[in-house]
Amino acid sequence: LGAPSPLPLYLLGFLFALLEALRMVAAGALLADLLPKEALAQARGKLGALYTAADTLSDLFAGLLFTRSRPWTVGLGSGLLFLAAGLYRTLPLPPRPPGRPEGGSLSGLRFLWQSPLRPLLILEALLNVAYALFAGLLPFLVLRGLGEAPWALGLLGAAQSLGGALGGLLVGAVLGRLGEGRTLRLALGLAGLGLLGGALLPPWPLLAGSAFLLGAGGALFGAVAGAIRLGEAPPELRGRVAGGFLFLSGALAPLGPLLGGALAGVALPLPFLLAGGLLLGLAPLWRRGRAA
């Protein structure tokens, strides 16, 4: 509340990241236990849209509140965390599987790698790397490459969040019209087009459209792919499957900025061009990979 040294802030950031990872794994597995497989993707999309909207609004509200009253910011945030914990406790928990659980998140990854879902796992991992590449290079692209003011960067982040929220809300409608395979190909195509838009070095209003497409495609793909993963996993493995994929995503995320930075040193449009072209090229392979 005063002027803490960086070390406690780092420790608090680590703690919050750890708790959020545990919450995501447990909530994803619980949702798969409570809902039938055919309703899981739509529910994940709606929850993702609500989470994106709340996250966007909280960033704005927290900044305004923090400049006026730091104690109120800490108190309100703590109260909301306790409220969320209480709401989670009211959910109907499924019966605990008999026997002692064996293995950890790596056993969940092993299940995905040895199942017919391996191509889906690879595609989603590549999409996450491309997402991290875009997020890591976007400030450099906007502030240095395009010479825009910092407020443009905030608007681009809002456009990407808006695309993610809309993509999550439309999961049910798109699935009902296109089915799983074509929905996943559409999502990869939207994300690829969004990345290719960055390669053109357009003015920020057009770049906002690219960010919107990337957000929509990523949310759509994540909701459907996550539902497929958890729906195919047996109940006793769902938590480990969710945790294994979260571990894989976190381990691969640093590759996006590292590769993007190295490629941008050659030519600024190059990382966006290669990442977008890769996603567009892989989009038609989903049916073939799943059938294999």
Side-chain angles (χ1 to χ4, degrees):
L1 294 179
S5 63
L7 180 58
L9 290 179
Y10 294 151
L11 295 177
L12 283 175
F14 176 85
L15 177 62
F16 273 106
L18 174 65
L19 293 176
E20 177 64 5
L22 293 175
R23 184 205 64 81
M24 290 175 62
V25 169
L30 177 59
L31 193 66
D33 288 335
L34 296 177
L35 292 176
K37 181 181 177 181
E38 58 272 11
L40 185 56
Q42 185 175 358
R44 282 175 56 89
K46 290 181 177 179
L47 284 176
L50 288 174
Y51 186 86
T52 300
D55 188 51
T56 303
L57 292 175
S58 67
D59 288 342
L60 175 63
F61 183 68
L64 294 174
L65 184 61
F66 188 77
T67 58
R68 288 162 173 78
S69 174
R70 294 184 181 183
W72 269 103
T73 307
V74 176
L76 180 61
S78 301
L80 290 174
L81 287 175
F82 280 112
L83 175 61
L87 291 174
Y88 272 119
R89 289 182 61 86
T90 65
L91 293 175
L93 297 179
R96 180 176 297 180
R100 183 181 179 87
E102 296 182 1
S105 294
L106 292 182
S107 64
L109 270 181
R110 191 179 306 114
F111 167 82
L112 290 173
W113 188 255
Q114 295 173 351
S115 74
L117 299 180
R118 184 190 304 179
L120 180 65
L121 179 67
I122 295 174
L123 282 178
E124 195 166 6
L126 290 174
L127 179 60
N128 287 340
V129 172
Y131 238 77
L133 179 150
F134 185 83
L137 290 182
L138 186 61
F140 179 78
L141 174 64
V142 173
L143 302 178
R144 297 286 298 276
L146 301 179
E148 297 287 353
W151 56 264
L153 186 60
L155 290 179
L156 292 175
Q160 186 173 351
S161 296
L162 182 61
L166 184 61
L169 289 176
L170 293 179
V171 168
V174 177
L175 268 178
R177 183 175 293 272
L178 300 180
E180 284 182 353
R182 287 194 290 175
T183 297
L184 290 171
R185 292 196 293 274
L186 172 65
L188 282 177
L190 291 175
L193 288 175
L195 286 165
L196 286 178
L200 300 176
L201 302 181
W204 74 263
L206 295 179
L207 188 58
S210 296
F212 179 89
L213 290 178
L214 180 61
L220 190 60
F221 191 96
V224 178
I228 294 175
R229 281 198 316 270
L230 294 175
E232 293 293 331
E236 65 274 10
L237 270 181
R238 282 174 180 159
R240 287 184 278 276
V241 165
F245 181 77
L246 190 63
F247 168 77
L248 179 66
S249 300
L252 293 179
L255 292 179
L258 287 174
L259 292 174
L263 293 171
V266 178
L268 183 54
L270 186 59
F272 301 98
L273 182 64
L274 291 180
L278 178 64
L279 293 183
L280 285 177
L282 290 175
L285 301 181
W286 159 245
R287 180 191 301 172
R288 190 180 311 166
R290 194 180 186 192

